[in-house]
Amino acid sequence: MTEEQSRGVPTIRRLLLGAQLRRLRTEAGISREDAGEVIRASPWKIHRLENGQVSYKERDIIDLLRLYGVTDPGEIDTFIALAHEANVPGWWNAYSDLLPHWFRAYVDLEAVAAQIRTYQAQLVPGLLQTEAYMRALMRGTLRDRRPEEIERRVMVRLTRQRLFTQDDGPQLWAVMDEAALRRPVGGKKVLRAQIERLIDATTLPRVSLQVLPFTAGAHAAMVGAFSILRFADPDLPDVVYLEHATSATYLDKPEDVEEYAHIMSSVGVHGTPPEQTAEILGELLHDLG
Amino acid sequence: MPQQVPPEIDTSVPQSARVYDYWLGGKDNFPADRAMGEAIAAQVPTIRNQVRAQRTFLARTVRYLVREAGIRQFLDVGTGIPTAGNVHEVAQEFAPESRVLYVDNDPIVLAHSRALIPSTPQGRVAFILADLREPEAILGDPTLAETLDLTQPVGLVLIGIMHHLRDDNDPRRIVATLVDALASGSYLVLSQTTPDFNPEAMRGLAAVSEQGGIPNVPRTFAETEPFFSGLELVEPGLVPIAAWRPDPGIQQDPRSVYVYGGAARKP
């Protein structure tokens, strides 16, 4: 691709780097105007940088990171290496060990997504979990159960949930396996409150919930949970996110994404219709006694 | 949790709704759909404009029905993958209480529509999986009775779908069956692709589509007019869709879009 062709066409990589820079800037309480001044650019240029619409100059990145309080030379080098990396699908997997602690690929991609489609086999989607459910889940699954680690993770997840109180937040389409809704994470009381939370969520305009019942039998998503992120920009491909015990995989090659798009459509069709979800959750509450 | 046996999704063959999605710049299409989309574009290089023109025709006709004809409920057959400017969005923007029943025969459209089409709280949007070739099944579906009040006028929307009916499907009977079920004061809006302005391109399009297993029958003006039989066409009548009450400031050669369309009232 020539420079001419690539101009103005955001890639996932640029979008992600831009999202990181935006978060660092807002966390530091710095305006676009002030950030622009440091790199001799307009607030509009900062806006476009943060939306992945223009590519970065190394000098600008160094200046912005310093302004945002990132001073560790190793972290700055990693970020610049990412910005330079050729536009290879899945480019960031190779970096997963080196990423600075503030580099939260999934969370930041999610924050700029227009639509999140997810299938969850074992647990309630993180974006809809109650705090008690989250804590019980983390105590049951994490090896590192130090209170400060759990606290850190709870804060990240609660921050993610604010997406749904923003006016321009993403649309969420979640299909939950019946198993995810019956397993008493945290005990009956916690699960009960969690299901009540889900019932409330069915009334949110941008949330669509479906249940994939046991009666559906074998189904296309038995390989496990996944999320598909879609971005408003027509040139950006969807990204599939898969979580593992020690790492995560991001898929953006068309043939991979299409496989998961097919699976999502399939569980959507085999799941109960969204308008029945509140009623089904009510029955689950009843079964809990 | 009772379940009907859901239809299987087949993404290995092209499907009309997903080919349209490809032309409209959507992301819910698969290689077979894109291959078909490109093969058709080779016959009709302006296909994306043609498809967009049908979307804007839909928006103008629905707006007309809501604002000028007072229609508040719609039956839209051949919905397609949800995109901006669906019937309910156009209708509910002006009349939030509008009720819309979408019908499509593609399970992928079903999955996406029911998950991703939110209604206003005042209105209602519902979706059924059915085929225009079986209008009785559409009319007999319990969701129709739950969504629309057939004693009151309905806007029947048949845009971008008639060319998928072959003559031996008896498309006139199909339209008449649906119109017969509607109250006096209801409206039909319909579009039909035509060979009249560019016979060669449309012959090529139809051949490529048929090869891929998607029926495609462009019709002349004389073949299209009878779909409105017994109904009162509103101004400007049955015309190339680009000439149907164009938005102010839009200059387009009507004959550059190979589609007829009109809106008509049931007396």
Side-chain angles (χ1 to χ4, degrees), chain B residues 16-186:
Chain B
S16 171
R18 302 192 305 250
V19 177
Y20 270 81
D21 179 69
Y22 171 63
W23 286 327
L24 289 168
K27 299 176 186 176
D28 293 306
N29 47 75
F30 293 82
D33 309 311
R34 295 195 283 276
M36 168 65 86
E38 282 306 316
I40 288 179
Q43 302 296 323
V44 182
T46 58
I47 189 69
R48 288 177 176 80
N49 285 334
Q50 310 273 333
V51 169
R52 273 196 291 272
Q54 284 192 62
R55 298 295 303 173
T56 58
F57 174 67
L58 178 137
R60 294 198 305 279
T61 50
V62 170
R63 209 185 308 138
Y64 170 84
L65 293 194
V66 173
R67 290 190 174 181
E68 311 205 19
I71 298 292
R72 292 292 181 272
Q73 34 179 12
F74 292 86
L75 174 58
D76 176 30
V77 188
T79 305
I81 307 262
T83 174
N86 282 308
V87 171
H88 77 284
E89 286 167 275
V90 179
Q92 290 183 343
E93 186 189 351
F94 184 76
E97 72 276 24
S98 297
R99 304 168 74 84
V100 180
L101 180 65
Y102 288 118
V103 182
D104 203 293
N105 65 357
D106 182 352
I108 287 203
V109 176
L110 167 76
H112 285 77
S113 299
R114 64 185 192 178
L116 301 175
I117 291 187
S119 170
T120 55
Q122 306 94 310
R124 170 112 203 250
V125 176
F127 190 95
I128 59 175
L129 191 68
D131 198 299
L132 180 57
R133 284 167 292 200
E134 293 163 15
E136 292 84 1
I138 295 172
L139 293 169
D141 194 294
T143 305
L144 185 135
E146 288 161 21
T147 313
L148 306 177
D149 175 0
L150 291 189
T151 68
Q152 297 299 313
V154 169
L156 171 60
V157 180
L158 298 175
I159 291 178
I161 189 169
M162 294 307 293
H163 60 282
H164 293 315
L165 297 178
R166 293 212 175 86
D167 288 344
D168 57 17
N169 296 136
D170 203 350
R172 284 188 218 174
R173 184 197 69 85
I174 288 171
V175 176
T177 302
L178 292 174
V179 170
D180 283 350
L182 306 181
S184 167
S186 291

Side-chain angles (χ1 to χ4, degrees), chain A residues 115 117 171 173 178 205 208 210 213 215 230-231 233-234 236 238 258 261-262 265-266 268-274 280, chain B residues 1-3 6-11 25-31 34 107-108 110-112 114-118 124 127:
Chain A
Q115 190 188 84
R117 292 177 281 172
Q171 194 172 27
W173 172 16
E178 187 174 341
S208 178
Q210 290 183 262
T215 53
R230 174 164 297 178
F231 307 96
D233 192 301
L236 282 173
D238 292 350
E258 276 155 11
H262 182 116
S265 291
S266 180
V269 167
H270 287 76
T272 51
I280 291 165
Chain B
M1 299 182 199
Q3 275 276 96
E8 274 314 312
I9 289 171
D10 187 354
T11 50
K27 299 176 186 176
D28 293 306
N29 47 75
F30 293 82
R34 295 195 283 276
I108 287 203
L110 167 76
H112 285 77
R114 64 185 192 178
L116 301 175
I117 291 187
R124 170 112 203 250
F127 190 95

